[in-house]
């Protein structure tokens, strides 16, 4: 909350991967003006999922803002689940499994599935990503640049964008207005 970076001010970042090499995440609360169907049009694909029409794409972070990322649950839409009961693997070509059972996919095959009216039941789309080198995120957390909270799938897929920051703070039991950004000495 005290971060004085205009790009990350009041950002909620979902960390997709965190290991000895660094961290990678997507900002989940800064929507762009671009609806999801525009991404499909750019890829010359129809979007046959009425539930996704009008869903806005988010700014995922400052790195590679021309690259798309889809964060989704493994659960497929109900019709597809019935059709795929015989198949054990419903993953996509380039999918990262997150620690809390979400998937982050960058390959076109997930777009193909969504364009045909199938694919993951819930989808969050972002352009660009955020990343930290080894130890960098830990240092920023120690310097109180970031607060951490366990991931909440509802926050990613159900809460309106403009409420996500405050709702993330409530997961910590904190009201944003109650935070002091500077410490004094006595």
């Amino acid at each position: 909350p005290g971060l004085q970076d205009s790009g990350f001010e009041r950002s909620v970042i979902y960390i997709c991967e965190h290991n000895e090499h660094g961290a990678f995440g997507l900002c989940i609360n800064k929507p762009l003006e671009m609806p999801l169907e525009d991404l499909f049009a750019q890829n010359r694909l129809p979007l046959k999922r009425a539930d996704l029409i009008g869903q806005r794409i988010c700014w995922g972070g400052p790195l590679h803002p021309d690259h798309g990322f889809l964060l989704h649950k493994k659960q497929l839409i109900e019709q597809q689940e019935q059709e795929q009961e015989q198949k054990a693997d419903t993953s996509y070509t380039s999918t990262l499994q997150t620690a809390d059972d979400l998937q982050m996919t960058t390959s076109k095959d997930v777009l193909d599935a969504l364009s045909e009216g199938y694919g993951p039941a819930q989808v969050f789309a972002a352009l660009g990503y955020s990343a930290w080198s080894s130890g960098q995120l830990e240092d920023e957390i120690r310097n109180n640049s970031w607060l951490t909270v366990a991931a909440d799938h509802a926050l990613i897929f159900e809460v309106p964008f403009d409420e996500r920051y405050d709702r993330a703070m409530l997961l910590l039991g904190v009201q944003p207005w109650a935070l002091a950004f500077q410490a004094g000495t006595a």
Side-chain angles (χ1 to χ4, degrees):
L3 193 61
Q4 297 300 313
D5 179 314
S6 61
F8 286 112
E9 185 177 9
R10 293 183 56 89
S11 289
V12 179
I13 308 291
Y14 174 77
I15 300 296
C16 300
E17 185 173 49
H18 185 212
N19 58 36
E20 68 276 3
H21 302 292
F24 163 86
L26 300 173
C27 181
I28 64 164
N29 69 321
K30 298 200 175 192
L32 301 170
E33 293 299 319
M34 181 181 196
L36 195 55
E37 57 267 24
D38 285 4
L39 176 66
F40 281 80
Q42 288 177 7
N43 284 280
R44 302 183 198 283
L45 294 169
L47 180 55
K48 295 181 182 175
R49 290 270 303 274
D51 61 314
L52 299 177
I53 300 292
Q55 180 176 315
R56 290 171 58 195
I57 296 172
C58 266
W59 173 82
L63 303 174
H64 297 284
D66 55 334
H67 286 88
F69 301 86
L70 288 180
L71 191 59
H72 54 90
K73 294 182 179 181
K74 288 181 185 180
Q75 179 186 6
L76 302 171
I77 61 170
E78 195 171 301
Q79 177 185 1
Q80 188 176 4
E81 283 180 347
Q82 293 170 0
E83 292 175 6
Q84 300 247 345
E85 283 180 2
Q86 305 299 328
K87 293 183 180 180
D89 184 19
T90 56
S91 62
Y92 302 99
T93 304
S94 181
T95 297
L96 170 71
Q97 182 68 45
T98 70
D100 67 326
D101 220 24
L102 291 182
Q103 296 180 333
M104 194 277 306
T105 301
T106 59
S107 54
K108 188 176 176 287
D109 53 350
V110 70
L111 294 180
D112 292 335
L114 292 169
S115 78
E116 291 302 317
Y118 298 111
Q122 292 181 300
V123 174
F124 167 83
L127 291 175
Y129 66 93
S130 303
W132 296 262
S133 60
S134 180
Q136 181 183 3
L137 182 57
E138 293 82 354
D139 287 342
E140 290 181 12
I141 291 169
R142 274 191 293 279
N143 291 324
N144 294 317
S145 294
W146 296 100
L147 298 175
T148 60
V149 64
D152 179 358
H153 293 184
L155 190 66
I156 298 166
F157 298 111
E158 299 167 21
V159 174
F161 294 119
D162 62 342
E163 296 176 23
R164 291 180 183 184
Y165 179 81
D166 290 342
R167 292 282 285 274
M169 296 295 271
L170 286 174
L171 290 171
L172 288 171
V174 174
Q175 293 286 348
W177 56 265
L179 295 174
F181 301 123
Q182 298 176 357
T185 57

